[in-house]
Amino acid sequence: LHIGMIGLGKMGMNLVQNMRDRGIAVTAYDLNTAARTQVAAYGATAVDSLAALVQALTPPRIVWLMVPAGTPTEQSIETLTGLLSPDDILIDGGNSFYKDSRRRAAALSAQGIHFFDAGTSGGMAGARRDGNFMIGGEEDVFPRIAALFQAIAAPDGYLFTGPAGSGHYLKMVHNGIEYGMMQAIGEGFEVLAKSEYDYDNAAVAKMWNHGSVIRGWLMGLAENAFTADPNLTAIKGVMHSSGEGAWTVEEAIRLHVPTPAISAALMARYRSEAPDAMSGKVVAALRNQFGGHAVDHQ
Amino acid sequence: LHIGMIGLGKMGMNLVQNMRDRGIAVTAYDLNTAARTQVAAYGATAVDSLAALVQALTPPRIVWLMVPAGTPTEQSIETLTGLLSPDDILIDGGNSFYKDSRRRAAALSAQGIHFFDAGTSGGMAGARRDGNFMIGGEEDVFPRIAALFQAIAAPDGYLFTGPAGSGHYLKMVHNGIEYGMMQAIGEGFEVLAKSEYDYDNAAVAKMWNHGSVIRGWLMGLAENAFTADPNLTAIKGVMHSSGEGAWTVEEAIRLHVPTPAISAALMARYRSEAPDAMSGKVVAALRNQFGGHAVDHQ
Amino acid sequence: LHIGMIGLGKMGMNLVQNMRDRGIAVTAYDLNTAARTQVAAYGATAVDSLAALVQALTPPRIVWLMVPAGTPTEQSIETLTGLLSPDDILIDGGNSFYKDSRRRAAALSAQGIHFFDAGTSGGMAGARRDGNFMIGGEEDVFPRIAALFQAIAAPDGYLFTGPAGSGHYLKMVHNGIEYGMMQAIGEGFEVLAKSEYDYDNAAVAKMWNHGSVIRGWLMGLAENAFTADPNLTAIKGVMHSSGEGAWTVEEAIRLHVPTPAISAALMARYRSEAPDAMSGKVVAALRNQFGGHAVDHQ
Amino acid sequence: LHIGMIGLGKMGMNLVQNMRDRGIAVTAYDLNTAARTQVAAYGATAVDSLAALVQALTPPRIVWLMVPAGTPTEQSIETLTGLLSPDDILIDGGNSFYKDSRRRAAALSAQGIHFFDAGTSGGMAGARRDGNFMIGGEEDVFPRIAALFQAIAAPDGYLFTGPAGSGHYLKMVHNGIEYGMMQAIGEGFEVLAKSEYDYDNAAVAKMWNHGSVIRGWLMGLAENAFTADPNLTAIKGVMHSSGEGAWTVEEAIRLHVPTPAISAALMARYRSEAPDAMSGKVVAALRNQFGGHAVDHQ
């Protein structure tokens, strides 16, 4: 196996190391020169352009794109469309919107290029080893890349999910579930924090992660976080988001699927982005208007 | 009619004025001397103790209690229990918990005293004139106070609701609905505030209050608030709460009634009470743990 | 004033009557022959094509489009684009998506036609008289139609809201608020229905609508509904939706505005569309898996 | 070690087997004769009364109570209070409300009996082996039962959490988190079910459980459930609940902790208990009132 890897950020760099550990040859490209230098230390060959990357691979090629969703992915695929040959395989391992992936698959297919959308979970640690992949694309072409996923995924940790788009769709829903699970965990620890008891958050998370119904990777990560900062005093509770949770709710709206918990989690994220909210001002002003209830002033 | 009014706060003082306007004699008591002085200006007789108030009324008496729910109400009723005579009527116009009202009704009933729980809506303006009352108690005794409510309520603005407790229960649910309605209005104005359009909030509220589906008193109050402070920049969005919304959700939980919107409104209130939340810290920490996503620092 | 009205459904027919009551001349068109016959009874002139309608009006014309959002509106505007003359005014009074309105305004503007998006609230009763309108478009052209809105709207019941799109945007948010308010009202009555007290729903709604904080048109409508069917036993709780509430949440997501109550209301609508939900099956199955808790079988 | 086990239901019976596997002597009691017969097969000694159970143990005794929360637990503890001796230890492994546990601890303490509230997670499988326990009580007495938990818990799967009540409190919050996580998982699978793709639910759950961010025991259980019934067609989505999730929200309300996702999950459970909801009827009726929108009839 010889993989062309485009994008050496947090995920791409770990994936290269993962592949190298499994004896997979990697030719890698990133805009960033330092990343190109670093990747060589893992035994990959760095090149300085997409054209060079394509040239370094013997057709039929396998190219893995691991750049941010949106414009970077769009532009890379546009360029690659002009460089790749019929029967080459292009894998988008990023968090692209599934409709984009479906559109790209159709466009590439017209040129004989096989597109796979590979939703990638497991975080940086999973990219590094024992990753998790949900892969959409042409079923009869998938066998050509099955060994790649077999090598870099956790045992049983990859799945061919159907036609192009189905991989990123599943990753989108995965992230929606993740939003709900994380919010629920956060809410639980906030109840504990305000309770009359004096819990050791790290010890609680560790205990819950060993044998309880809510054990899982997130609980283990909570243990790590609380071990580093027992009450998370150093950080703000601003919950940024990169889109998949929002897409899940938008898709739920489109399909008329009730997703109250995931929606509540999404709304909690938006609420966290600012210290105050206009909605609260309106309610406070209304209470003042009808009942003379005091408002807090700036 | 001669009413003994206990409690001359924002609501009680307005009720006295309302009653005086309708030619109802009022003997009034409050701990606060200034309030006692003020009430005389409205033509009420101020007294300096509960005992004096009871003495000033001719049996069978009608006493209206308008003090904060909880300890003040409990202690006042305890004292009054020792002062009132069989066949006297005691009205609790405050926001007591319905189970307290039911308990008090039973205890007073054992002494022949008739208790009514009169949930009072309409804010200070309603207390002043055209109020709104939902009244629980003994059905066959209610006619003795019907004229009182007829006088101070808005036309069609009072209702005998059933046995003791049913008035405060209905007021509790009224406030739960109010939480949901106010939160929805607040959310709508926040969408407007962040939109690309430049709406005049006061003008919008005014227009919506004249002919739209969502017209109502709250929309009129929104117009007032926005007229005074077009973007509510002077106030913080802290939404305090005094209990009835929370009781509504607790009652919904007890009855297994799904109240997702009212619950969401209640949770938004709690979220508004502090600029940050532990739940957000946990989610931010987890995102950092698995994906290396940056956290905001204090 | 002479208005060309296109679309004689529930809203359009009432608007024609409203306009006729105010002495406004109306030429009307609908695909439906019966509607065309009916409109004549109100003193309007019925025509059998868009072309005839345009021809019947003296330039510069005012045409009001009142057909369902989406394809019907799109197609009507397409046809009208070929029929109208520079300086004519086209008003879309339907529930179009604001981005569609913005796009249409730009396209029509290129031909010198002035487009206004007039969000219409107040239901059928408001269309009939004392309606509510939020109108976006060219500010310097608006005076030409101000008298029209002055005539058919409730006093203070219309507002020029800014550039094209701003009217339908405001109507969208109005409906989002409406979703939250209606859900809160519904939840409150469900708590009452399951309570130990025996409330008369129509009497409660009537009383709440006279003097309470939550008084408003919706509460009056609740009184009507409960008067007709005291416990709504004849109808199912299926809450259909036509899009604006969903758009409000989608817009909130786009703007990162927390709208937990409106979202909860939207999700409650979707939940109501089927008697069961897959999410519930999954939770029931999980409880069975870990705790042996019995599941309900089909 | 010699444990007296009271209650041989799904959890108690598995705990006895777990203890027996670890070489712990068990004397067991249950009202049910068949359960008493069965427990003997696991090498435990069955007795036919609480008195006999207490008598069979050498003081200072260790008694584990594993009966339903509420009346059964209350009555058992009442009886045991008359039977146990000073310095005996009584462990409540059930799902009691933490305030009950605190009260019971105080009452038993007055007689020199040491009470521990041991929240038990991990389901029946965890009771059987590698369980999860969160234990409140007297810190200086805990070492006398540490070996018991060391034996029956998963490695790192138990925690002494502080004074009496803190164990059941933590279990309550654990279940609250569980509600949120399960609802989020359910919602995700419902989006998948209504999507245009044709996912193999069991394969998805299995893949997600191997390397993804949302891997955990619940995902493994989802795999089991979907393997048995690929689309859960045989079961209804009725989500029963036994109290801890509700208590978590009630506690959150008491502490003013925003728990929007857990609350949404709780409300979804209540919504699932009936095929229709009064709130939906009200909304449908209101839509009909203002807009003439058709309602679905029974």
PDB file of all heavy atoms in Angstrom, chain A residues 56-69:
ATOM      1  N   ALA A  56       4.038  11.228  -7.523  1.00  0.00           N
ATOM      2  CA  ALA A  56       4.830  10.260  -6.754  1.00  0.00           C
ATOM      3  C   ALA A  56       4.117   8.925  -6.571  1.00  0.00           C
ATOM      4  O   ALA A  56       4.730   7.945  -6.152  1.00  0.00           O
ATOM      5  CB  ALA A  56       5.177  10.854  -5.388  1.00  0.00           C
ATOM      6  N   LEU A  57       2.819   8.897  -6.870  1.00  0.00           N
ATOM      7  CA  LEU A  57       2.054   7.668  -6.667  1.00  0.00           C
ATOM      8  C   LEU A  57       1.867   6.944  -7.996  1.00  0.00           C
ATOM      9  O   LEU A  57       1.668   7.566  -9.032  1.00  0.00           O
ATOM     10  CB  LEU A  57       0.678   8.003  -6.078  1.00  0.00           C
ATOM     11  CG  LEU A  57       0.667   8.686  -4.701  1.00  0.00           C
ATOM     12  CD1 LEU A  57      -0.713   9.270  -4.410  1.00  0.00           C
ATOM     13  CD2 LEU A  57       1.071   7.702  -3.610  1.00  0.00           C
ATOM     14  N   THR A  58       1.916   5.630  -7.942  1.00  0.00           N
ATOM     15  CA  THR A  58       1.691   4.841  -9.145  1.00  0.00           C
ATOM     16  C   THR A  58       0.204   4.571  -9.320  1.00  0.00           C
ATOM     17  O   THR A  58      -0.435   4.093  -8.390  1.00  0.00           O
ATOM     18  CB  THR A  58       2.416   3.473  -9.010  1.00  0.00           C
ATOM     19  OG1 THR A  58       3.751   3.718  -8.587  1.00  0.00           O
ATOM     20  CG2 THR A  58       2.391   2.730 -10.338  1.00  0.00           C
ATOM     21  N   PRO A  59      -0.341   4.864 -10.488  1.00  0.00           N
ATOM     22  CA  PRO A  59      -1.762   4.588 -10.704  1.00  0.00           C
ATOM     23  C   PRO A  59      -2.020   3.086 -10.662  1.00  0.00           C
ATOM     24  O   PRO A  59      -1.143   2.312 -11.062  1.00  0.00           O
ATOM     25  CB  PRO A  59      -2.059   5.154 -12.093  1.00  0.00           C
ATOM     26  CG  PRO A  59      -0.889   6.027 -12.410  1.00  0.00           C
ATOM     27  CD  PRO A  59       0.279   5.486 -11.648  1.00  0.00           C
ATOM     28  N   PRO A  60      -3.220   2.647 -10.271  1.00  0.00           N
ATOM     29  CA  PRO A  60      -4.279   3.496  -9.715  1.00  0.00           C
ATOM     30  C   PRO A  60      -3.940   3.939  -8.291  1.00  0.00           C
ATOM     31  O   PRO A  60      -3.586   3.117  -7.455  1.00  0.00           O
ATOM     32  CB  PRO A  60      -5.504   2.583  -9.732  1.00  0.00           C
ATOM     33  CG  PRO A  60      -4.960   1.196  -9.657  1.00  0.00           C
ATOM     34  CD  PRO A  60      -3.617   1.226 -10.316  1.00  0.00           C
ATOM     35  N   ARG A  61      -4.031   5.233  -8.073  1.00  0.00           N
ATOM     36  CA  ARG A  61      -3.575   5.844  -6.816  1.00  0.00           C
ATOM     37  C   ARG A  61      -4.634   5.799  -5.722  1.00  0.00           C
ATOM     38  O   ARG A  61      -5.821   5.668  -5.986  1.00  0.00           O
ATOM     39  CB  ARG A  61      -3.216   7.300  -7.057  1.00  0.00           C
ATOM     40  CG  ARG A  61      -2.207   7.535  -8.151  1.00  0.00           C
ATOM     41  CD  ARG A  61      -2.057   9.004  -8.430  1.00  0.00           C
ATOM     42  NE  ARG A  61      -1.136   9.269  -9.530  1.00  0.00           N
ATOM     43  CZ  ARG A  61      -1.479   9.339 -10.813  1.00  0.00           C
ATOM     44  NH1 ARG A  61      -2.745   9.154 -11.162  1.00  0.00           N
ATOM     45  NH2 ARG A  61      -0.580   9.575 -11.738  1.00  0.00           N
ATOM     46  N   ILE A  62      -4.150   5.958  -4.477  1.00  0.00           N
ATOM     47  CA  ILE A  62      -5.054   6.181  -3.331  1.00  0.00           C
ATOM     48  C   ILE A  62      -4.600   7.460  -2.627  1.00  0.00           C
ATOM     49  O   ILE A  62      -3.486   7.512  -2.098  1.00  0.00           O
ATOM     50  CB  ILE A  62      -5.025   5.017  -2.328  1.00  0.00           C
ATOM     51  CG1 ILE A  62      -5.364   3.690  -3.026  1.00  0.00           C
ATOM     52  CG2 ILE A  62      -6.000   5.287  -1.181  1.00  0.00           C
ATOM     53  CD1 ILE A  62      -5.262   2.468  -2.111  1.00  0.00           C
ATOM     54  N   VAL A  63      -5.459   8.465  -2.669  1.00  0.00           N
ATOM     55  CA  VAL A  63      -5.136   9.750  -2.053  1.00  0.00           C
ATOM     56  C   VAL A  63      -6.106  10.019  -0.900  1.00  0.00           C
ATOM     57  O   VAL A  63      -7.317   9.857  -1.053  1.00  0.00           O
ATOM     58  CB  VAL A  63      -5.222  10.893  -3.089  1.00  0.00           C
ATOM     59  CG1 VAL A  63      -5.008  12.255  -2.416  1.00  0.00           C
ATOM     60  CG2 VAL A  63      -4.192  10.677  -4.199  1.00  0.00           C
ATOM     61  N   TRP A  64      -5.571  10.381   0.236  1.00  0.00           N
ATOM     62  CA  TRP A  64      -6.387  10.671   1.433  1.00  0.00           C
ATOM     63  C   TRP A  64      -6.301  12.171   1.696  1.00  0.00           C
ATOM     64  O   TRP A  64      -5.230  12.713   1.937  1.00  0.00           O
ATOM     65  CB  TRP A  64      -5.842   9.883   2.624  1.00  0.00           C
ATOM     66  CG  TRP A  64      -6.660  10.006   3.891  1.00  0.00           C
ATOM     67  CD1 TRP A  64      -6.943  11.128   4.582  1.00  0.00           C
ATOM     68  CD2 TRP A  64      -7.265   8.924   4.607  1.00  0.00           C
ATOM     69  NE1 TRP A  64      -7.698  10.839   5.683  1.00  0.00           N
ATOM     70  CE2 TRP A  64      -7.918   9.490   5.737  1.00  0.00           C
ATOM     71  CE3 TRP A  64      -7.339   7.534   4.422  1.00  0.00           C
ATOM     72  CZ2 TRP A  64      -8.608   8.704   6.674  1.00  0.00           C
ATOM     73  CZ3 TRP A  64      -8.021   6.769   5.350  1.00  0.00           C
ATOM     74  CH2 TRP A  64      -8.660   7.347   6.462  1.00  0.00           C
ATOM     75  N   LEU A  65      -7.460  12.802   1.677  1.00  0.00           N
ATOM     76  CA  LEU A  65      -7.530  14.239   1.915  1.00  0.00           C
ATOM     77  C   LEU A  65      -7.963  14.474   3.354  1.00  0.00           C
ATOM     78  O   LEU A  65      -8.993  13.967   3.792  1.00  0.00           O
ATOM     79  CB  LEU A  65      -8.550  14.835   0.941  1.00  0.00           C
ATOM     80  CG  LEU A  65      -8.659  16.356   0.853  1.00  0.00           C
ATOM     81  CD1 LEU A  65      -7.364  16.963   0.321  1.00  0.00           C
ATOM     82  CD2 LEU A  65      -9.826  16.730  -0.055  1.00  0.00           C
ATOM     83  N   MET A  66      -7.162  15.252   4.090  1.00  0.00           N
ATOM     84  CA  MET A  66      -7.458  15.448   5.520  1.00  0.00           C
ATOM     85  C   MET A  66      -7.262  16.922   5.860  1.00  0.00           C
ATOM     86  O   MET A  66      -6.384  17.295   6.638  1.00  0.00           O
ATOM     87  CB  MET A  66      -6.515  14.560   6.350  1.00  0.00           C
ATOM     88  CG  MET A  66      -7.064  14.222   7.724  1.00  0.00           C
ATOM     89  SD  MET A  66      -8.511  13.091   7.589  1.00  0.00           S
ATOM     90  CE  MET A  66      -9.085  13.068   9.281  1.00  0.00           C
ATOM     91  N   VAL A  67      -8.096  17.757   5.239  1.00  0.00           N
ATOM     92  CA  VAL A  67      -8.013  19.202   5.465  1.00  0.00           C
ATOM     93  C   VAL A  67      -9.365  19.691   5.977  1.00  0.00           C
ATOM     94  O   VAL A  67     -10.364  18.961   5.909  1.00  0.00           O
ATOM     95  CB  VAL A  67      -7.606  19.945   4.159  1.00  0.00           C
ATOM     96  CG1 VAL A  67      -6.272  19.432   3.648  1.00  0.00           C
ATOM     97  CG2 VAL A  67      -8.675  19.810   3.093  1.00  0.00           C
ATOM     98  N   PRO A  68      -9.437  20.889   6.512  1.00  0.00           N
ATOM     99  CA  PRO A  68     -10.709  21.365   7.051  1.00  0.00           C
ATOM    100  C   PRO A  68     -11.829  21.315   6.011  1.00  0.00           C
ATOM    101  O   PRO A  68     -11.614  21.547   4.821  1.00  0.00           O
ATOM    102  CB  PRO A  68     -10.406  22.810   7.472  1.00  0.00           C
ATOM    103  CG  PRO A  68      -8.938  22.816   7.774  1.00  0.00           C
ATOM    104  CD  PRO A  68      -8.342  21.854   6.772  1.00  0.00           C
ATOM    105  N   ALA A  69     -13.045  21.032   6.507  1.00  0.00           N
ATOM    106  CA  ALA A  69     -14.215  21.019   5.639  1.00  0.00           C
ATOM    107  C   ALA A  69     -14.449  22.416   5.081  1.00  0.00           C
ATOM    108  O   ALA A  69     -13.982  23.404   5.619  1.00  0.00           O
ATOM    109  CB  ALA A  69     -15.450  20.559   6.427  1.00  0.00           C
TER     110      ALA A  69
END
